[in-house]
Amino acid sequence: MTSEPKAPSAEPLPPPPIGLFAQVIFGSRWLQVPLYVGLIVAQAVYVLLFLKELWHLVLHSFDASEQQIMLVVLGLIDVVMISNLLIMVIVGGYETFVSRLNLSGHPDEPEWLSHVNASVLKIKLAMAIIGISSISLLRTFIEAGNLGTTRSNFTESGVMWQVLIHLTFIISAIGIAWVDRLSDSGHGKAGHG
């Protein structure tokens, strides 16, 4: 058994130069950075809103009814879910559409970030919107006992529209997931064929 001499490894060729128009098109992705910075500012506003509502809850916890406390807590959960949605859009959108964050190996790297793409981001956003809508609808249902009175913030038609909008969100999310699954199975068959 004689060993054949190995050919010297060739240096990888540098990528071909990119034309000016292609550089402008590709570089235009950086125009989204101010949008993500704006969402970070919105996130800060939500943190202030959360702290304000939490402070009111603590101050009025002894003179509020259980239902009032539950409504405030649901409002706090709503703020947290919207904040989570903002984080998904900021981090996932930036990573997907602008530039890599290079967080591999960072102890705080979100688990979902390693497999985020535009399709996964759409589904996660749809699920977050459904969660936010669910909390809002739950708050409406808790207050529904006051329908027809002066203490109610809702009308029967308002509640009906909220339910229909929530169902529309659910159907839309199912549609997005179904189309994504069809797209994935189409890519899998094309790769095997």
Side-chain angles (χ1 to χ4, degrees), residues 85-102:
L85 176 65
L86 281 168
I87 287 297
M88 278 191 286
V89 171
I90 293 165
V91 176
Y94 184 89
E95 174 89 10
T96 301
F97 300 111
V98 179
S99 182
R100 294 275 178 213
L101 293 171
N102 296 323

Side-chain angles (χ1 to χ4, degrees), residues 88-158:
M88 278 191 286
V89 171
I90 293 165
V91 176
Y94 184 89
E95 174 89 10
T96 301
F97 300 111
V98 179
S99 182
R100 294 275 178 213
L101 293 171
N102 296 323
L103 296 176
S104 292
H106 192 283
D108 292 332
E109 178 187 10
E111 179 273 329
W112 55 269
L113 193 57
S114 63
H115 53 270
V116 73
N117 59 37
S119 182
V120 170
L121 197 55
K122 276 191 296 191
I123 292 172
K124 286 193 175 294
L125 292 176
M127 295 309 295
I129 290 169
I130 289 171
I132 292 165
S133 174
S134 297
I135 295 295
S136 178
L137 198 55
L138 181 58
R139 288 172 68 188
T140 300
F141 287 160
I142 289 171
E143 290 189 37
N146 296 327
L147 280 178
T149 68
T150 56
R151 297 184 333 174
S152 177
N153 294 326
F154 305 101
T155 62
E156 286 182 28
S157 65

Side-chain angles (χ1 to χ4, degrees), residues 6-110:
K6 293 183 179 179
S9 61
E11 300 256 342
L13 296 174
I18 300 174
L20 179 61
F21 186 67
Q23 287 178 355
V24 170
I25 295 290
F26 187 62
S28 69
R29 71 193 191 283
W30 291 100
L31 291 173
Q32 291 189 21
V33 170
L35 305 177
Y36 292 114
V37 171
L39 289 178
I40 292 169
V41 171
Q43 175 91 354
V45 169
Y46 266 101
V47 169
L48 293 175
L49 175 66
F50 182 90
L51 293 174
K52 180 182 125 190
E53 291 299 316
L54 184 62
W55 180 250
H56 286 287
L57 176 66
V58 171
L59 284 181
H60 301 291
S61 61
F62 293 108
D63 49 322
S65 70
E66 181 182 354
Q67 183 178 3
Q68 290 169 325
I69 291 172
M70 188 182 342
L71 289 171
V72 172
V73 170
L74 286 173
L76 293 175
I77 292 169
D78 200 28
V79 169
V80 169
M81 292 184 78
I82 292 171
S83 185
N84 290 342
L85 176 65
L86 281 168
I87 287 297
M88 278 191 286
V89 171
I90 293 165
V91 176
Y94 184 89
E95 174 89 10
T96 301
F97 300 111
V98 179
S99 182
R100 294 275 178 213
L101 293 171
N102 296 323
L103 296 176
S104 292
H106 192 283
D108 292 332
E109 178 187 10

